[in-house]
Amino acid sequence: AGCAFTLFIPSVAGFIAGVFLIGAGASVTWGTISAALGDAFGERASKFINLSFCCYSLGAVVSPQLIAFFTGSLGFDWRICYILTAAAVLVSLVIVLPLRFAPQPAGSPSAQHSGGGRFRHVGSVIFISLFLSMVLNCSIENGLTFFANSYFTDVVARPSLTSSAISVYWLMMIPSRLLVGFLYKRRRTVLIASFICMAALLLVIYATTNGSVALVCMGAIGFASGPLYS
């Protein structure tokens, strides 16, 4: 629906409504995927959630290169972005809709924690800290990818690096998410180190006008972001 709005309603309001629907759908989809994997695999769910995020990152690595190819080599305009997105969503629906997840047994840890006390941890320090961490990380992620084209065009003066920068950002999340699975017992230290590294790398990006340095920093920030979704 969001892609249709952006393609067939030729107005700013239509475009904004379309982008809103795309964002809303993406958020609901990710929340549902995590919940479904949690119900299906219980205590083993973290491994499968990590794998699902790796697949997501892999798709995000390919898509900027695909869009660059369609708009650069084949001469399509911006609408191809939304056409390809709509096609990918339809293919995903065909794959996902037939799936069925068996409910957890009544005595399983997942089932026990899904009762009326589901909101009892909302006010805890741990929950609030994780919530703020996700807000901050999503802000960094969206800011980097949204302003990448402006940054590499106006500051670095190498617009051709934009798609590569976005791809390498997502590419480096894949080994990071796999690696953090082995560091689960030190997750607090890993999270703190991730934010410290991202802050330092963002300062380097702010200060540099060298395209190669900026590209390396984008990849390093992607690597540092991986643990926050794990």
Side-chain angles (χ1 to χ4, degrees):
C3 292
F5 267 69
T6 60
L7 290 170
F8 301 116
I9 301 180
S11 67
V12 174
F15 185 82
I16 292 174
V19 172
F20 172 80
L21 289 173
I22 291 170
S27 297
V28 170
T29 300
W30 267 120
T32 304
I33 287 173
S34 298
L37 291 174
D39 285 343
F41 298 105
E43 293 181 348
R44 298 183 297 134
S46 59
K47 178 175 68 174
F48 294 98
I49 291 173
N50 254 356
L51 288 173
S52 71
F53 273 112
C54 287
C55 292
Y56 178 87
S57 296
L58 187 59
V61 170
V62 174
S63 60
Q65 306 303 318
L66 195 62
I67 296 301
F69 172 73
F70 273 92
T71 56
S73 301
L74 300 184
F76 287 92
D77 63 10
W78 60 270
R79 291 176 180 82
I80 192 63
C81 301
Y82 297 96
I83 293 172
L84 291 175
T85 301
V89 169
L90 291 175
V91 171
S92 299
L93 283 175
V94 171
I95 296 172
V96 171
L97 285 179
L99 297 179
R100 295 292 182 270
F101 292 96
Q104 286 286 300
S108 68
S110 177
Q112 290 174 3
H113 290 302
S114 62
R118 66 186 67 177
F119 298 112
R120 65 183 182 277
H121 297 306
V122 169
S124 70
V125 174
I126 294 175
F127 176 84
I128 293 172
S129 298
L130 290 174
F131 172 77
L132 293 176
S133 297
M134 291 302 297
V135 169
L136 181 58
N137 185 60
C138 287
S139 299
I140 293 172
E141 176 185 309
N142 285 285
L144 281 175
T145 53
F146 185 81
F147 291 107
N149 186 56
S150 298
Y151 173 76
F152 281 97
T153 300
D154 300 335
V155 179
V156 180
R158 293 182 65 183
S160 61
L161 288 178
T162 301
S163 59
S164 297
I166 296 174
S167 290
V168 76
Y169 170 79
W170 287 103
L171 178 64
M172 292 305 295
M173 282 193 192
I174 297 174
S176 176
R177 285 170 176 164
L178 294 174
L179 179 62
V180 76
F182 298 100
L183 301 173
Y184 179 76
K185 293 183 178 179
R186 299 185 179 182
R187 57 192 179 277
R188 183 173 180 273
T189 302
V190 170
L191 286 174
I192 293 172
S194 294
F195 276 113
I196 292 173
C197 289
M198 279 194 288
L201 290 164
L202 286 169
L203 288 174
V204 174
I205 287 179
Y206 171 79
T208 189
T209 57
N210 184 293
S212 299
V213 172
L215 194 63
V216 170
C217 286
M218 287 287 287
I221 291 175
F223 188 85
S225 299
L228 301 176
Y229 286 103
S230 303

